[in-house]
Amino acid sequence: MDLLVVGSGFFGLTIAERAASAGRKVAVIDRRHHIGGNAYSEDEPETGIEVHRYGAHLFHTSNPTVWEYVNRFTKFTPYVHRVYTNHRNVVFPLPINLGTINQFFQAAYTPDEARQLIHEQAGEFDAKAAQNLEERGIGLIGRPLYEAFIRDYTAKQWQTDPTELPAEIISRLPVRYNYDNRYFNDTWEGLPVDGYTAWIERMADHPNIEVKLSVDFFDDSQPLNKKATVGQVPIVYTGPVDRYFDYAEGSLSWRTLDFEEQVLPVGDFQGTPVMNYADADVPYTRIHEFKHFHPERADRYPNDKTVIMREFSRFANRDDEPYYPVNTPEDRAGLLAYRELAKGESDVHFGGRLGTYQYLDMHMAIGSALSMWNNQLA
Ligand code: FDA
């Protein structure tokens, strides 16, 4: 073995694929029973509808190198992501755009009129001098839109009143003064035609790659454990950086999500893939309805059943799946301390969202793995 990769998410698999193609023998371990990390998906057994196990995953990128690379393993559907939100039982388009504004104010403002209105309403606070998230939000888009679409949704995401949250959590709240409600601005977007797992499996399908599942790097009874391998073979580690050092500098804090999945005896539950729930009296943040991610599969998906998933957000304990870095000042100090420790590890390369403690979209995880391969490992 020339390289050990810990974690079979997009970061780990990109490294493994590049190394294998360059003639290296690679072992990939993952503590889960499946490959693919958080992008893993599987067909719900009763309906055959593809469900993204760790939350909805939409691929998008403006990076030509990443786009060329991912197209080696899968084709993409022409899916374009759009999100709506339910506020007081009325549905509005997101991100906030002229359609949202005119529906909310029951008006027919032109782009310039809407811009002027939001500018006046935002004058209540100076966004740059804001003391907390609420002041920042009002200073960016004005109180009416902030209270309807941002305040309670953010409070649900963080289990914290926005007046107690740091202003830095939001740097901008984009408002579009036209009717464009495409969620992403990227050059390319789409979903893998035959699913995430098929894509991921093709990346790992190389004679030089051996994948071992249900293997935890910190389980000393496994042959490819930390004690047995560090210093013996180059390692790319994509698990949590604090866990690697046995929490010597404390735990880095994360938010996690709980998902409640249901198969319903209706052909169409909400008419769209993602519906946010903006208000405080609804405990979940959003509902996904997976069949709408693949309208091109209409002939193979049932027309009398659907799969929905409610998403609930909360702070993570050590045993929970870490999803979004909380990134408090203590976390940032802890991360710097871990980066110092990491420098002392012989030939261990920390990568991916857990290994670097940062939120990475899939294209960013793949892009940074390609850079690590080219700059440090090749
Ligand atoms: P990832 O977490 O995928 O993989 C790490 C792997 O390491 C895991 O499989 C884990 O089991 C394994 N591991 C950890 N510790 C280990 C140990 N001790 N021993 C062995 N294995 C270990 N992106 C995007 O582009 N569009 C989107 O719509 C979304 N949506 C989205 C929703 C939600 C809820 C989240 C949390 C994230 C997204 N993402 C996303 C981001 C996407 O999930 C992310 O880019 C990839 O998961 C990053 O891949 P990594 O390989 O870095 O981590």
Side-chain angles (χ1 to χ4, degrees), residues 26-283:
V26 187
V28 179
I29 62 168
D30 202 296
R31 66 175 175 187
R32 291 176 175 164
H33 72 277
H34 59 76
I35 62 168
N38 277 10
Y40 173 72
S41 72
E42 61 191 352
D43 291 349
E44 191 286 323
E46 192 183 330
T47 58
I49 294 172
E50 181 183 351
V51 171
H52 304 169
R53 270 291 146 235
Y54 302 91
H57 276 67
L58 301 318
F59 188 80
H60 56 98
T61 187
S62 296
N63 180 329
T65 306
V66 169
W67 182 242
E68 185 280 318
Y69 180 71
V70 299
N71 274 275
R72 296 180 197 179
F73 309 101
T74 181
K75 290 187 168 54
F76 289 85
T77 69
Y79 176 82
V80 172
H81 195 45
R82 291 195 163 83
V83 175
Y84 294 84
T85 189
N86 181 320
H87 167 57
R88 298 201 181 142
N89 280 324
V90 179
V91 172
F92 296 85
L94 288 181
I96 296 174
N97 63 73
L98 195 51
T100 324
I101 293 170
N102 277 332
Q103 195 181 335
F104 185 78
F105 292 108
Q106 292 286 293
Y109 294 124
T110 65
D112 284 345
E113 287 167 349
R115 202 176 272 116
Q116 179 61 27
L117 175 78
I118 302 308
H119 179 72
E120 280 161 22
Q121 293 181 342
E124 186 178 338
F125 283 107
D126 175 2
K128 291 196 193 77
Q131 298 295 309
N132 57 52
L133 191 148
E134 177 147 316
E135 291 184 10
R136 169 75 48 88
I138 295 171
L140 289 169
I141 61 169
R143 187 179 285 277
L145 293 177
Y146 165 78
E147 288 186 348
F149 299 116
I150 309 296
R151 182 186 61 193
D152 297 347
Y153 192 84
T154 306
K156 286 197 280 190
Q157 282 182 310
W158 291 90
Q159 295 179 292
T160 307
D161 190 292
T163 57
E164 318 248 305
L165 286 170
E168 302 83 68
I169 290 180
I170 43 173
S171 52
R172 42 195 291 277
L173 283 174
V175 175
R176 294 184 188 157
Y177 295 100
N178 57 35
Y179 291 92
D180 175 13
N181 73 327
R182 268 185 82 146
Y183 201 76
F184 299 117
N185 288 318
D186 278 316
T187 313
W188 298 285
E189 114 174 63
L191 290 169
V193 284
D194 40 15
Y196 278 97
T197 296
W199 168 8
I200 288 156
E201 280 172 350
R202 270 179 227 126
M203 290 181 78
D205 181 18
H206 193 287
N208 287 344
I209 298 179
E210 192 180 0
V211 179
K212 295 176 200 284
L213 298 173
S214 305
V215 172
D216 192 320
F217 188 52
F218 303 106
D219 176 354
D220 292 346
S221 71
Q222 298 285 347
L224 293 177
N225 72 62
K226 180 182 172 193
K227 287 191 191 119
T229 55
V230 173
Q232 307 299 313
V233 62
I235 294 173
V236 171
Y237 173 81
T238 73
V241 62
D242 53 358
R243 173 69 189 91
Y244 182 95
F245 293 105
D246 212 7
Y247 306 104
E249 303 287 344
S251 292
L252 300 175
S253 53
W254 293 83
R255 286 189 297 124
T256 191
L257 300 173
D258 297 315
F259 299 112
E260 255 179 41
E261 185 181 310
Q262 261 184 310
V263 178
L264 296 177
V266 294
D268 195 347
F269 173 76
Q270 62 185 16
T272 195
V274 181
M275 181 68 68
N276 286 7
Y277 284 80
D279 301 338
D281 56 351
V282 178

